[in-house]
Amino acid sequence: MMFSLTSEELSVLQLSCKVAASCLVVSIIPAICVGWFLARKEFWGKSFIETLVFLPLVLPPVVPGYLLLQVFGSRGIIGQYLAPLGIDFAFNWKGAVLASAVMGFPLLVQSIRLAIELVDQRLEMAAKTLGASSLGAFFHVTLPLASSGILIGAILCFCRSLGEFGATITFVGNISNETRTLPLAMYSLMQQPDTETAIQRLIVLSLSVAFLALWFAQWFHRYQKKRLGR
């Protein structure tokens, strides 16, 4: 049947969600920090920092994947020191998380940055005059007001991770039950004869997950606007 998933396809879906969720977990706090920093601070060299943060968006995905292999591979600049400690990224699912994080991080940062820029700084200043510390104003004023943009960025990062292909296959390969996420599974099936039905199932599955995630993001954004009376 068209929508009856095999055990292998379910395994691919579980691995894809595991990688995407892990990518989001390791990215969200650094992205909030970087997004706030870019939104609130002006300094010499800011354009250079912004360019570095958003560079993966315009690079061919194979380039970040190759650079990750050179840095975090078992013989890489950093990887050679991590390997004796039992920390290995190349050719396993943790490397897929790292590759996805590199590619999804700019989307997350940009959404968070725009959301924080829209928060009226006078509200933060008012909180401080009432006795809140800078950190308290951030957690009780800035974050709640920027929550809609942060959620949308998180969902975009999650969906970007689900669709990540180039950096992942370059850095960690296409290993069944280890690094073969949805796009890699579709790529593998395309190299085989008589797999149209299986490919179509994975395409429908990918579209369904991405559509539901983006729909929820848009719904939450409208809900937040209504709740805040905007």
Side-chain angles (χ1 to χ4, degrees):
M1 294 178 61
M2 174 68 182
F3 297 104
S4 178
L5 299 177
T6 65
S7 58
E8 183 176 353
E9 290 165 349
L10 285 173
S11 176
V12 167
L13 176 61
Q14 290 172 353
L15 177 62
S16 298
C17 291
K18 176 183 176 180
V19 169
S22 299
C23 166
L24 184 56
V25 168
V26 301
S27 299
I28 187 67
I29 293 179
I32 289 174
C33 294
V34 173
W36 176 86
F37 188 70
L38 294 179
R40 289 290 188 251
K41 299 297 181 180
E42 295 296 331
F43 54 92
W44 185 88
K46 182 177 179 179
S47 295
F48 178 75
I49 299 299
E50 291 172 328
T51 301
L52 285 180
V53 171
F54 300 120
L55 192 59
L57 288 176
V58 295
L59 282 174
V62 173
V63 175
Y66 177 79
L67 293 176
L68 285 172
L69 189 60
Q70 295 301 309
V71 175
F72 291 102
S74 57
R75 297 183 180 179
I77 299 172
I78 297 176
Q80 61 179 323
Y81 299 107
L82 296 178
L85 302 176
I87 304 173
D88 187 20
F89 289 101
F91 307 110
N92 63 65
W93 74 272
K94 294 187 289 295
V97 172
L98 181 57
S100 295
V102 168
M103 301 306 295
F105 188 74
L107 289 173
L108 184 54
V109 168
Q110 181 67 348
S111 294
I112 293 173
R113 175 189 182 180
L114 293 175
I116 291 176
E117 285 179 344
L118 291 175
V119 175
D120 193 338
Q121 293 190 59
R122 289 175 297 182
L123 297 175
E124 298 172 348
M125 294 174 63
K128 292 178 182 178
T129 60
L130 294 174
S133 63
S134 296
L135 199 59
F138 174 75
F139 280 109
H140 293 99
V141 177
T142 309
L143 272 186
L145 292 176
S147 61
S148 178
I150 293 172
L151 178 66
I152 290 174
I155 291 176
L156 287 175
C157 180
F158 182 87
C159 292
R160 180 65 183 85
S161 178
L162 283 178
E164 168 50 37
F165 176 81
T168 301
I169 198 170
T170 304
F171 182 37
V172 297
N174 185 5
I175 306 170
S176 180
N177 297 320
E178 187 65 40
T179 65
R180 186 171 294 168
T181 54
L182 278 168
L184 272 66
M186 283 186 274
Y187 174 78
S188 298
L189 289 172
M190 288 177 184
Q191 312 307 309
Q192 305 170 28
D194 303 321
T195 56
E196 287 81 4
T197 302
I199 293 171
Q200 291 169 7
R201 285 199 299 266
L202 291 181
I203 288 175
V204 170
L205 186 62
S206 300
L207 285 171
S208 300
V209 173
F211 180 87
L212 288 173
L214 291 175
W215 174 84
F216 176 77
Q218 297 305 319
W219 173 85
F220 184 80
H221 178 65
R222 290 193 301 273
Y223 169 78
Q224 285 290 85
K225 287 179 66 176
K226 183 177 180 180
R227 188 173 68 86
L228 295 173
R230 293 180 181 178

